[in-house]
Amino acid sequence: MGAARRWGRRRLWPMAIGVGVVLALVGYLAVRFIRSAPSDGCTAHGTDGTTVTLDLGQASHAATIAAVAHARGLPERAVTIALATAIQESKLRDLSYGDRDSLGLFQQRPSQGWGSPAQIRDPVYASGKFFDALVKVPDYVDLPVTVAAQNVQHSGYPEAYASHEAMAATLADVLTGREGPALTCTVSAVDSSEADAAGAEGGSGTDDAGAGRGSGTAGVVHEGDNEGGGGVVAAVRREFGRVPTAVPATGDSVSYPVAEPATGWSLALWLVCHAGALHATSVTFDNRRWSSDASDQGWTHISPASAESSTVAVRVTA
């Protein structure tokens, strides 16, 4: 019996070593795959070489702030002030909590007349209310960010806004479209049922900015608007406002004629930042294309002769 046991042990050792090697190899390959797989998120490149990296939720909220400013015809400086404020107050996250009854991107308080909790948790509404207050500040465009923001927020730490001005200015410069395809997002495939569930939550947003799909835009997408583009038309109308009327293209595509390149790029970047919620599979403008199935490649050049190419219209497929 003793010899049999020793023989059994000798046979088990090579098997155990073999299994260990296989498991180690599988683990190594898994780690390699995870590290090499592109991470979801958006990157903006400033003209001075500054790079700003946001997760998808943060990027969608930043783009919404810029879009609401565009709809109201406000200058880039207003976008910078609003972004610096939202970065300080919530890190560009639609929070369901805060000091006392503060909520949302700008930590606005229902008790102070900013709106109901549900309204404040809607990034479009919250941005509009911030701009309503900002434009009442005399000469706000010429004021330091700290002073302008404090006139709206009445914060206990007014000096804090200044520390976010550089980041906010880069994002404002990019999201207003003046720098062309200076922002791109890597977006994993989004299951339609998962996105619908997020949209069903309405415009209340999500505390997990990485999810992004629970932004105010997602609620609009699923309101039952039957126009082309899978709900894109309703979302663009609500946030961008001043963009020309959508023109149906082929299949599930919609085109937006634009008079100025900056407007076209501002809309194109907004669409990419909200691609997950909008189910957008591609966005094209100015002979460039962003596609969800190759989002890690950014904006790629397309032939001017392509049916999708255009320098006068933004085209989105959803």
Side-chain angles (χ1 to χ4, degrees), residues 46 49 62 121 145 149 169 193 228 253 271 273 285 312:
R121 292 292 312 285
V145 164
S193 61
S253 296
L271 288 164
C273 288
F285 180 63
V312 296

Side-chain angles (χ1 to χ4, degrees), residues 6 15 20 28-29 42 68 75 127 150 152-153 180 241 253 268 273 312:
R6 286 195 296 274
M15 292 175 62
Y28 170 77
L29 292 175
C42 302
V68 173
S127 299
Q150 177 62 3
V152 175
Q153 298 294 105
S253 296
C273 288
V312 296

Side-chain angles (χ1 to χ4, degrees), residues 5-302:
R5 288 196 186 104
R6 286 195 296 274
W7 174 247
R9 292 188 187 120
R10 284 198 295 269
R11 294 186 63 184
L12 287 174
W13 271 111
M15 292 175 62
I17 294 172
V19 171
V21 170
V22 170
L23 290 174
L25 180 60
V26 169
Y28 170 77
L29 292 175
V31 170
R32 286 277 304 239
F33 175 77
I34 293 170
R35 288 177 177 173
S36 62
S39 299
D40 283 7
C42 302
T43 303
H45 299 281
T47 55
D48 60 355
T50 302
T51 298
V52 176
T53 301
L54 304 173
D55 63 37
L56 295 179
Q58 290 172 313
S60 69
H61 295 145
T64 288
I65 290 171
V68 173
H70 178 276
R72 292 165 177 248
L74 299 179
E76 185 178 316
R77 182 64 174 173
V79 181
T80 297
I81 296 168
L83 287 171
T85 303
I87 293 169
Q88 167 59 29
E89 296 291 353
S90 68
K91 294 183 173 61
L92 286 171
R93 302 183 189 280
D94 192 16
L95 300 177
S96 62
Y97 58 88
D99 179 45
R100 287 167 285 188
D101 59 337
S102 299
L103 298 167
L105 288 177
F106 298 94
Q107 289 291 277
Q108 295 156 333
R109 299 179 61 193
S111 63
Q112 299 302 307
W114 286 99
S116 69
Q119 287 175 321
I120 292 172
R121 292 292 312 285
D122 175 357
V124 180
Y125 175 91
S127 299
K129 293 297 286 186
F130 179 87
F131 289 127
D132 284 345
L134 180 63
V135 297
K136 294 177 183 177
V137 178
D139 302 317
Y140 76 88
V141 174
D142 300 317
L143 295 176
V145 164
T146 292
V147 176
Q150 177 62 3
N151 269 277
V152 175
Q153 298 294 105
H154 306 293
S155 168
Y157 305 94
E159 67 283 352
Y161 299 115
S163 62
H164 305 294
E165 182 172 4
M167 178 179 179
T170 295
L171 288 173
D173 188 27
V174 170
L175 290 171
T176 52
R178 292 199 300 109
E179 305 306 325
L183 176 146
T184 190
C185 299
T186 300
V187 181
S188 298
V190 178
D191 179 75
S192 58
S193 61
E194 187 176 314
D196 289 342
E201 295 174 2
S204 62
T206 174
D207 292 337
D208 182 3
R213 294 182 294 275
S215 69
T217 301
V220 178
V221 171
H222 303 287
E223 284 180 352
D225 191 293
N226 293 320
E227 298 182 75
V232 171
V233 173
V236 171
R237 184 191 304 117
R238 182 172 189 246
E239 297 202 24
F240 242 86
R242 289 160 53 93
V243 172
T245 304
V247 178
T250 59
D252 295 324
S253 296
V254 177
S255 290
Y256 284 90
V258 292
E260 300 176 353
T263 299
W265 277 113
S266 184
L267 174 57
L269 298 180
W270 179 90
L271 288 164
V272 168
C273 288
H274 290 89
L278 298 175
H279 303 191
T281 57
S282 70
V283 179
T284 60
F285 180 63
D286 198 17
N287 300 326
R288 298 286 192 104
R289 178 195 290 122
W290 176 93
S291 60
S292 59
D293 60 357
S295 60
D296 58 316
Q297 298 179 22
W299 291 93
T300 59
H301 289 277
I302 58 176

